[in-house]
Amino acid sequence: MSVEQSFKISIPDDALALLSRKLEDTRLPDEVNAAEWAYGAPLADIRRLVGRWKNGFDWRTHERELNALPMFTRTITVDGFGELSVHYVHQRSSAKGAIPLLFVHGWPGSFLEVTKVLPLLTAVSADHPSFHVVAPSLPGYAWSEGVLEKGFHAKHYAEVSCIFGPVIVALVRLWLYRQTKLFNKLMISLGYTEYVTQAGDLGYVLTLTTASLYGPKHVKASHTNMPIGEPPKLFGNPIVLLKCFIMSFTSREREAAAAAQSHLRNGMGYFAEQSTKPQTLGFSLADSPVGLLAWIYEKLVTLTDAYPWTDDEVLTWVSIYWFSRAGPAASIGIYYELAHSGELTSFPKTTVPVGLSFFPKEPIRSPKVCVHMPSSRCSRLTNGSLLRAQAKVVFESEHEVGGHFAAYEQPEALVSDLRKMFGKSGPAVGVVPGCTGY
C-alpha cells in the first residue's frame, strides 16, 4: 500500500485559457416555443450560465475554497488492473471515540457532495456522535485516476440487481466487486479496519455490496438516502409480492409511485446513452464545456427538491468534471462495462444494520413489480419491505423536503439521521467496537 500524499487542486493556466476560448466559440441551439423543461435544459438557463462562466465566474476563488478541504491521494493496487491513484477527502474528528464513516457519491455527483455534511459529521458534542469521514472520488471522477482497459470490474462484480428493470439492473453493477475492494483497501490503509458507510445514488449499491462482502468483519453498518430494494418474486418474496397487490396506500405513496413511473418514462435517456454508446457521447462531453454543462445541469435541477442553485454552485460542480484528471468523459464509460457484463442477478444480502432515509423528491421510490401496475400498488412501505427482506433494517426516517442529493440539499437532516442511528440511544450504537462516537 502506498503512502498517503497531501493533495491540492492546481489547474494550469493554459487549461483555463482553453476553457475560455471554447466558451467564446459556443454555438447555442434554437429552442421550441414554450418548451420550458419538457425538452431538457432550457436555452435561457444555459445561455445565462455560459455568460457567467465566461465573465464573472472565478475558478481560482472556488479552487482555493476546495483546497481548504483535507484532500489526499493514495495509490491502491486493483487486481488485474495494476495501480490506481485515488483522490479522497479525509477529515478526522477530535472525538477520541469517533466512528469511521465511508461516504460514497454517484453520478453526476462528486466529492463535492460531502462538503456541507463534513463539519457537521466531525463536530464533537456530548449530545450526538462524531465521525471520522473518508469521501473518495470514484475512479475516473475528479482527481482519481481513470481506467483505460476494457472490462474494468466486468468479471468480478458482486452479484446484485436493481428495481428499475433489466437495463438499469446492469447499471447497478458499475461499481461493485473491484471498487468495493478498492475502497475497503483504502479504509484499512487509513487505519479504519472497522467502519460504517453512507451513500446515495449508485454509491448506495456500492456500499450495500461492500457490506455484503466485508461485513461484519470490516463494514459494521450502512446508511442510505436512496432506499431501493430487489423486486419481490413469487418464489423468493411471496408475502411481499402479495402485499404489493392488496395493500392500500396513502396519497403521498401514490404520488411517489407516479413520480417514479414518470422518471422511468422521461428521465432515463442519459442512462440509455451512457450504458450503450459512452464513447459517442464522450466526444461531446470532452470537447464542449457547454455540452457538459447542459448534460449535468439538467440532472442537478430535475433530481432536486426545488433546491435554490446559484450559478456559481452549478459552475463549480461542472468545472470539477471539466478539469478532472481523466477528463469529463471518463465518468460515464463505466456504465457500459457493467451493462454488458451479462450478470443480472440479485441484490446481495447483508447482516449488518442498515438505515434508510426517505426524501420526497428522490426520483425512484417504487419497486419494479409495481411499475406496470396502478399507482396505488406502489409505495415507500413496500420498498422498505423489500429492503427488510434482504437487509437488517434498524432505522427509518421520512422527510418533508429534499431530493436526490440529500447531503448537499438537506445536510442537517441527513446528519441528524446518522446521529440518531449511531447515537447513544440509536439502534446501531456501538457497532464499531471502541468507537461510540463520543
Side-chain angles (χ1 to χ4, degrees), residues 7 15 99 123 126 147 171 173 205 213 220-221 241 245 277 307 315 341 356 361 385 390 396 404:
F7 179 81
I99 304 166
V147 180
L171 170 61
R173 303 171 56 245
V205 181
L213 290 171
K220 297 298 184 179
L241 182 62
F245 281 95
K277 293 294 184 287
Y307 178 79
L315 295 174
S341 64
L356 315 175
K361 295 301 181 180
S385 298
Q390 66 196 61
E396 293 186 50
H404 188 63

Side-chain angles (χ1 to χ4, degrees), residues 83 97 156 318 321 337 360 426-427:
E83 296 181 337
H156 298 289
V318 176
Y321 274 79
E337 299 295 349

Side-chain angles (χ1 to χ4, degrees), residues 20-346:
S20 179
R21 291 197 301 272
K22 285 183 171 293
L23 291 173
E24 286 294 340
D25 291 339
T26 296
R27 184 175 63 177
L28 296 175
D30 291 331
E31 182 179 64
V32 174
N33 292 334
E36 298 183 342
W37 279 95
Y39 287 70
L43 175 59
D45 286 24
I46 299 302
R47 179 180 285 124
R48 184 192 72 250
L49 286 163
V50 171
R52 175 67 180 175
W53 215 357
K54 289 193 298 185
N55 303 300
F57 178 75
D58 183 3
W59 166 254
R60 293 300 185 199
T61 295
H62 299 284
E63 184 180 72
R64 286 192 295 271
E65 292 174 352
L66 291 172
N67 280 334
L69 294 169
M71 294 188 290
F72 306 88
T73 60
R74 183 184 292 266
T75 299
I76 295 178
T77 300
V78 181
D79 295 347
F81 290 87
E83 296 181 337
L84 286 178
S85 177
V86 179
H87 163 262
Y88 55 96
V89 174
H90 178 204
Q91 183 163 320
R92 293 181 60 87
S93 166
S94 61
K96 184 178 180 180
I99 304 166
L101 182 146
L102 172 67
F103 178 97
V104 183
H105 70 83
W107 185 91
S110 71
F111 72 94
L112 191 61
E113 293 179 67
V114 82
T115 54
K116 293 183 180 181
V117 296
L118 195 61
L120 301 175
L121 289 170
T122 56
V124 178
S125 172
D127 298 326
H128 60 71
S130 184
F131 301 84
H132 300 311
V133 180
V134 180
S137 295
L138 297 176
Y141 288 70
W143 288 276
S144 282
E145 189 175 0
V147 180
L148 296 179
E149 298 297 327
K150 292 176 64 176
F152 186 57
H153 303 230
K155 295 182 179 178
H156 298 289
Y157 286 128
E159 295 181 349
V160 297
S161 67
C162 183
I163 63 172
F164 306 161
V167 177
I168 303 185
V169 167
L171 170 61
V172 171
R173 303 171 56 245
L174 296 178
W175 292 304
L176 298 182
Y177 183 73
R178 282 181 172 153
Q179 281 198 23
T180 60
K181 193 170 185 178
L182 186 152
F183 290 124
N184 191 59
K185 280 186 175 181
L186 173 61
M187 293 299 284
I188 291 174
S189 74
L190 295 173
Y192 304 131
T193 57
E194 297 173 301
Y195 57 95
V196 302
T197 69
Q198 199 292 317
D201 196 76
L202 288 178
Y204 156 60
V205 181
L206 170 60
T207 53
L208 180 65
T209 306
T210 308
S212 177
L213 290 171
Y214 301 107
K217 181 179 180 180
H218 297 298
V219 181
K220 297 298 184 179
S222 185
H223 178 275
T224 182
N225 51 279
M226 194 183 83
I228 56 177
E230 180 186 351
K233 301 178 180 66
L234 180 60
F235 297 105
N237 306 99
I239 295 177
V240 175
L241 182 62
L242 180 62
K243 285 182 178 180
C244 198
F245 281 95
I246 67 174
M247 286 180 66
S248 60
F249 304 114
T250 67
S251 59
R252 173 178 288 188
E253 291 164 350
R254 289 194 294 272
E255 289 172 4
Q261 291 173 330
S262 176
H263 181 72
L264 289 170
R265 289 192 302 268
N266 304 310
M268 298 306 298
Y270 79 97
F271 171 75
E273 183 67 21
Q274 292 181 177
S275 63
T276 57
K277 293 294 184 287
Q279 185 68 19
T280 302
L281 174 61
F283 288 111
S284 298
L285 301 184
D287 187 61
S288 172
V290 178
L292 177 69
L293 169 64
W295 194 247
I296 292 179
Y297 175 66
E298 177 201 311
K299 297 306 176 190
L300 296 184
V301 173
T302 59
L303 297 182
T304 52
D305 190 6
Y307 178 79
W309 292 100
T310 67
D311 288 353
D312 278 16
E313 278 183 298
V314 172
L315 295 174
T316 300
W317 196 294
V318 176
S319 293
I320 289 173
Y321 274 79
W322 179 256
F323 293 127
S324 62
R325 174 174 178 168
S331 64
I332 65 171
I334 196 169
Y335 278 57
Y336 178 93
E337 299 295 349
L338 271 293
H340 290 76
S341 64
E343 300 174 277
L344 305 179
T345 54
S346 60

